[in-house]
Amino acid sequence: MADWNPDLYARFAGLRRQPALDLLARVGALPSGDVIDLGCGNGAVGPVLATRFPDRARLGVDLSPAMLAQARDGGHYTVLHEADLTQWRPDAPPALIFSNAALNWVPDHATLIARLVGMLAAGGMLAVQVPAQHDEPSHAMVHDIARDLAPDVVTTPQAHTHVRAPCDYAELLAPMGEANVWTTQYMQRLDPVGQGHPVRHFTQSTYLRRYLDLLESAQLADAFLDRYDTALFEAYPPDESGAVWFPFKRLFFTLRTGA
């Protein structure tokens, strides 16, 4: 898959940052240790972590060189690691592993979460937010449109939903420590755009990426975006100004280990 486009992703920086702020508000006192931003991307949460934890080492971990380059420019991390978050290990037990909209890209959350919790210092916290939008029109229609255009190319879902139901996380986390699981639906107002539907511009830098990689090689990306735009105008009609209200659901959980 092609590398991320940090500039396209950053167009909605405020909307993408708010869930991270809401998650961080649920992080309480911590033991000694580093703060890890797991899947740090372009460093959007870096300034907030630096303000909240000015005296701790702050480590950013991400697999995208382009995103890490922007995170490095921000100067809010002590160290940045280019690594697969499912394979990375800290040098010492961290006080906090914080992950905003990253775990949704990787499978087998039961194994991954157990691994992350096992890394924490005694009394440390795991704090995670993931999009839970896969059943909504903005995401659910994507595979069908792409497969209809290119059945020989799009043979399996490209944007797998690895996010589980809230009750699954509650059951998974309960034996590991003090757990909290909740969901929030954000009413996101998206401004008019020059071409296409506002929601498409929001999803194009994230959920659509794997489909566009396939369809661009098959020279069908423009046709796909046209069909997707048409479906979005029906699902999310703009107001007179061209703006839309876009409900977006996110799932959160925190886990504090025993001291």
Side-chain angles (χ1 to χ4, degrees), residues 151-181:
D152 295 335
V153 175
V154 184
T155 55
T156 59
Q158 297 300 301
H160 293 279
T161 173
H162 302 298
V163 177
R164 300 166 65 169
C167 60
D168 291 341
Y169 290 104
E171 292 178 359
L172 174 66
L173 293 167
M176 300 182 187
E178 180 186 343
N180 289 284
V181 182

Side-chain angles (χ1 to χ4, degrees), residues 48-71:
V48 181
L49 295 177
T51 299
R52 175 77 181 271
F53 306 109
D55 299 325
R56 294 179 186 264
R58 298 174 302 280
L59 285 67
V61 180
D62 205 275
L63 193 57
S64 165
M67 287 292 212
L68 286 171
Q70 284 204 356

Side-chain angles (χ1 to χ4, degrees), residues 88-160:
W88 172 85
R89 295 195 65 87
D91 294 331
L96 172 65
I97 298 178
F98 186 91
S99 185
N100 184 57
L103 267 59
N104 48 295
W105 292 103
V106 298
D108 194 4
H109 283 189
T111 299
L112 175 61
I113 289 169
R115 181 174 178 272
L116 295 176
V117 171
M119 297 176 183
L120 290 168
M125 288 192 73
L126 173 66
V128 172
Q129 180 273 127
V130 288
Q133 188 73 1
H134 43 275
D135 290 331
E136 299 300 319
S138 59
H139 290 51
M141 67 175 68
V142 171
H143 177 70
D144 288 343
I145 295 172
R147 184 179 56 186
D148 185 55
L149 279 170
D152 295 335
V153 175
V154 184
T155 55
T156 59
Q158 297 300 301
H160 293 279

Side-chain angles (χ1 to χ4, degrees), residues 131-133 139 184-188 202 246-250:
Q133 188 73 1
H139 290 51
T184 301
Q185 188 175 62
Y186 292 85
M187 292 301 296
Q188 301 181 160
F202 187 89
F246 178 36
F248 199 101
K249 184 178 179 182
R250 295 181 182 273

